[in-house]
RNA sequence: GGAAGAAUGGCUGAGUGGUCGAAAGCGACGGUCUUGAAAACCGUUGUAUCUCACGAUACCCAGGGUUCGAAUCCCUGUUCUUCCUCCA
């Protein structure tokens, strides 16, 4: 949630920045007006309530002294009606405010380039050189089927399209990757956590998936629970509604989970293969930081993910997301894109974001900042998406006969 | 799934209708004392919003209700504990 006080104080600046992200200015004006109206409604209610409280005290005194209370009772009853009315108005304003406030995205950082979609993201640097093949490299689904690693049809049989099944070395590689990543992250100070795959509405509101993106989520039928679209949701919300001590920061965490997404808006995109699945494995990094250190930890997380790709010998590049591609909660994001020879292009394999206090404000994650309480900064990023990493290994390490070389760092995890 | 009980501040735990944002203890922080520390003693110590400030309002699991007045009474829900049942 954006800072309403900041909006109040620097309306022009805030609305100009949000406009860059495509937010309708009238919506922001609306928010500001609602906030003003809410304040007035609150003061109004509190005035009546204060009167009620003092009259109630008087009432008690009258009774004790045996005075006649009929006249006072008339006044009290009249005031009560006003309280009810004032409270109704206040609640209504509050509700209206929240609907708008929760649907407004984070303010993009000044460093975020303007742009309407992913094509206008800015490349920051390339790491490792894409391999040269003296044959035409195959796409991963061909390789996966040829090696018997992944069965796309049986996934569909069990569930629906965009589900797949891994067999043998395919399944073992997934597991090896997960373990490798978690160990790698742990060596860099990220504490491993294992979290629920189902979360409630409050958690999803905290990190910003709700109320706006309910269509992308799988929801339980008989309970208000949702399958997590990313481990970011349970891990960040671990500290929801808490006031941490300064010494507890940073909280650096890593978690492996399955992720579930409806991919509602992606019909027709990446229909073949395992680039875009309804269920996929991911190892996630989350840092909860003191605001004055969040930039530093952001860089650290980007480096961690990039080094992981380097360790796996996978060519990749870093891109700075433009306003049009920037996620709802992010102030700025760096994507890591891995080279896929089969597609002859770089594809997203990790996305690292600093949400600053946007999620902290929603999830009420604070820390003792001297003698006051301040919101923390939350950062999240994929260590790597496991499925896409497997795809990248297949395509980059393929031989002409379709066999695939296993990256050295994974061999110990495969008993090789 | 069945039965009973519980939910209060960082923690433990008092509080059955008014002066309770809430006793007490512990912890934490500051101070006195000390060469330093411990002990002892004194003080401070929940959150949010409005206000320049004084102060005001709200919050004792959540939501309703009764009442002039609710931490306290009533209803609903949630969670937890114990016992039984079941079970990876």
């Amino acid at each position: 949630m954006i800072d309403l006080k900041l909006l109040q104080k620097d309306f022009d600046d805030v609305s100009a920045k949000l406009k860059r992200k495509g937010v309708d200015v009238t919506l922001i004006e609306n928010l500001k007006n609602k906030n003003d109206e809410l304040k007035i409604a609150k003061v109004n209610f509190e005035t009546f309530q204060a009167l009620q409280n003092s009259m109630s005290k008087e009432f008690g005194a009258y009774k004790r002294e045996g005075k006649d209370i009929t006249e006072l009772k008339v006044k009290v009853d009249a005031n009560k009606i006003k309280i009810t009315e004032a409270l109704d108005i206040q609640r209504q304003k509050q509700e209206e405010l929240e609907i708008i406030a929760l649907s407004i995205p984070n303010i993009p950082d000044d460093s975020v380039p303007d742009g309407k979609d992913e094509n206008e993201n800015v490349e920051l640097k390339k790491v490792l050189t894409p391999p040269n093949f003296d044959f035409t490299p195959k796409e991963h689904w061909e390789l996966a089927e040829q090696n018997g690693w992944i069965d796309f049809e049986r996934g569909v049989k069990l569930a629906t399209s965009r589900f797949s099944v891994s067999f043998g070395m395919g399944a073992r590689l997934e597991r090896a990757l997960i373990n490798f990543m978690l160990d790698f992250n742990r060596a860099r100070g990220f504490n491993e956590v294992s979290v629920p795959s189902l979360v409630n509405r409050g958690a999803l509101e905290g990190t910003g998936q709700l109320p706006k993106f309910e269509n992308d989520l799988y929801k339980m039928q008989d309970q208000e629970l949702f399958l997590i679209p990313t481990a970011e949701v349970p891990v960040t919300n671990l500290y929801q509604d808490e006031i941490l001590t300064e010494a507890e920061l940073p909280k650096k965490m890593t978690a492996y989970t399955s992720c579930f997404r409806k991919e509602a808006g992606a019909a027709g995109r990446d229909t073949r293969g395992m680039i875009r699945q309804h269920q996929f494995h991911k190892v996630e990094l989350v840092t909860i930081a003191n605001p004055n250190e969040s930039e530093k930890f952001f860089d650290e997380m980007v480096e961690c993910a990039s080094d992981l790709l380097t360790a796996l010998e996978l060519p990749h590049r870093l891109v700075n997301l433009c306003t049009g591609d920037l996620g709802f909660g992010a102030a700025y994001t760096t994507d890591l894109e891995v080279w896929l020879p089969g597609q002859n292009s770089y594809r997203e394999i990790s996305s690292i974001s600093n949400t600053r206090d946007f999620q902290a404000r929603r999830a009420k994650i604070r820390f003792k900042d001297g003698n006051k309480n301040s919101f923390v900064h939350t950062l999240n990023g994929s260590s790597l998406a496991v499925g896409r990493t497997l795809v990248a290994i297949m395509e980059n390490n393929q031989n002409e006969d379709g066999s695939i070389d296993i990256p050295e760092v994974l061999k110990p995890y495969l008993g090789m």
Side-chain angles (χ1 to χ4, degrees):
Chain A
M1 193 151 73
I2 63 166
D3 185 352
L4 291 174
K5 278 184 190 160
L6 187 69
L7 179 72
Q8 214 74 23
K9 210 174 75 193
D10 281 323
F11 179 81
D12 292 338
D13 187 44
V14 171
S15 60
K17 285 177 174 174
L18 283 170
K19 198 180 169 185
R20 287 216 301 141
K21 201 157 166 178
V23 180
D24 188 354
V25 180
T26 57
L27 193 65
I28 308 165
E29 272 167 7
N30 213 331
L31 181 65
K32 184 179 183 296
N33 293 339
K34 276 284 175 284
N35 195 32
D36 291 339
E37 289 170 21
L38 176 63
K39 270 190 195 171
I40 293 164
K42 267 188 173 164
V43 170
N44 195 32
F45 163 73
E46 284 176 11
T47 309
F48 290 127
Q49 185 63 45
L51 181 61
Q52 185 76 2
N53 289 345
S54 71
M55 285 197 292
S56 284
K57 277 187 184 154
E58 222 179 313
F59 200 101
Y62 273 39
K63 278 238 168 172
R64 249 174 283 132
E65 293 161 18
K67 286 197 196 161
D68 180 36
I69 50 144
T70 45
E71 204 178 311
L72 185 58
K73 177 104 165 65
V74 172
K75 281 206 281 187
V76 161
D77 284 344
N79 191 54
K80 237 177 145 177
I81 295 166
K82 287 186 178 165
I83 289 179
T84 314
E85 285 170 359
L87 185 61
D88 281 348
I89 293 169
Q90 188 196 313
R91 280 186 179 163
Q92 191 198 325
K93 297 290 177 200
Q94 179 79 45
E95 206 175 305
E96 288 169 359
L97 178 88
E98 264 168 31
I99 289 170
I100 303 171
L102 289 179
S103 70
I104 290 182
N106 199 359
I107 298 166
D109 189 77
D110 291 340
S111 69
V112 175
D114 277 310
K116 61 177 190 304
D117 59 32
E118 63 198 38
N119 297 316
E120 295 184 63
N121 293 341
V122 175
E123 182 179 298
L124 300 171
K125 76 168 178 184
K126 282 197 172 88
V127 183
L128 301 180
T129 319
N132 278 316
F133 294 96
D134 47 19
F135 56 92
T136 308
K138 298 190 178 92
E139 299 236 36
H140 74 274
W141 54 80
E142 277 184 79
L143 296 161
E145 275 170 5
Q146 186 185 330
N147 285 282
W149 288 7
I150 297 164
D151 188 326
F152 296 102
E153 263 119 60
R154 278 186 238 271
V156 178
K157 176 158 79 177
L158 291 174
T160 173
S161 62
R162 292 197 195 280
F163 282 90
S164 62
V165 176
S166 306
F167 281 98
M169 186 52 87
R172 289 175 63 203
L173 268 170
E174 284 187 357
R175 185 159 54 86
L177 279 168
I178 292 161
N179 285 331
F180 170 63
M181 290 180 200
L182 287 171
D183 288 347
F184 191 94
N185 297 339
R186 190 159 50 85
R188 300 212 174 186
F190 291 89
N191 190 27
E192 186 171 341
V193 282
S194 178
V195 291
S197 296
L198 288 168
V199 293
N200 58 34
R201 189 168 282 275
L204 287 155
E205 279 175 358
T207 31
Q209 283 77 15
L210 286 181
K212 229 184 162 179
F213 306 102
E214 187 153 352
N215 284 342
D216 295 331
L217 299 169
Y218 286 102
K219 187 184 176 189
M220 296 297 114
Q221 202 165 33
D222 51 358
Q223 253 184 319
E224 187 82 339
L225 289 172
F226 302 80
L227 281 167
I228 54 170
T230 159
E232 167 199 342
V233 178
V235 177
T236 306
N237 281 290
L238 241 23
Y239 297 98
Q240 189 184 87
D241 251 319
E242 292 192 32
I243 301 172
L244 304 165
T245 62
E246 205 172 347
E248 283 177 276
L249 300 176
K251 295 259 185 204
K252 293 170 62 178
M253 295 169 284
T254 185
Y256 153 70
T257 66
S258 285
C259 303
F260 303 87
R261 298 182 185 178
K262 279 194 175 171
E263 297 293 350
R269 289 177 68 192
D270 303 310
T271 45
R272 283 202 80 172
M274 65 182 311
I275 291 282
R276 195 174 297 276
Q277 299 272 286
H278 286 310
Q279 175 181 359
F280 59 97
H281 304 300
K282 185 156 63 72
V283 174
E284 185 80 359
L285 298 170
V286 170
T287 302
I288 294 179
N290 188 311
N292 58 38
E293 290 186 316
S294 75
E295 316 271 327
K296 178 180 98 186
F297 290 119
F298 177 83
D299 294 342
E300 202 178 291
M301 287 163 72
V302 171
E303 192 180 297
C304 186
S306 176
D307 288 353
L308 202 41
L309 282 167
T310 305
L312 289 163
E313 304 161 55
L314 293 171
H316 58 281
R317 64 171 190 172
L318 277 59
V319 298
N320 187 14
L321 293 201
C322 70
T323 50
D325 203 22
L326 196 66
F328 182 76
Y332 58 99
T333 297
T334 294
D335 269 10
L336 277 74
E337 298 182 339
V338 71
W339 176 253
L340 294 186
Q343 301 195 357
N344 199 39
S345 64
Y346 284 98
R347 292 299 303 262
E348 176 186 343
I349 194 166
S350 169
S351 186
I352 313 216
S353 301
N354 187 353
T355 79
R356 298 233 167 90
D357 63 358
F358 184 80
Q359 291 179 330
R361 206 171 276 286
R362 290 174 156 240
K364 297 190 179 63
I365 308 173
R366 290 165 292 175
F367 75 107
K368 281 275 169 218
D369 186 6
N371 53 8
K372 66 179 197 292
N373 297 318
S374 301
F375 289 107
V376 297
H377 279 192
T378 64
L379 305 99
N380 66 79
S382 359
S383 185
L384 291 179
V386 176
R388 289 186 182 184
T389 308
L390 186 57
V391 166
I393 289 172
M394 285 191 274
E395 294 201 7
N396 282 283
N397 295 10
Q398 61 180 297
N399 302 306
E400 189 161 15
D401 63 359
S403 64
I404 293 154
D405 300 331
I406 306 293
E408 285 303 318
V409 289
L410 290 183
K411 287 185 174 169
Y413 290 89
L414 295 159
M416 295 165 79

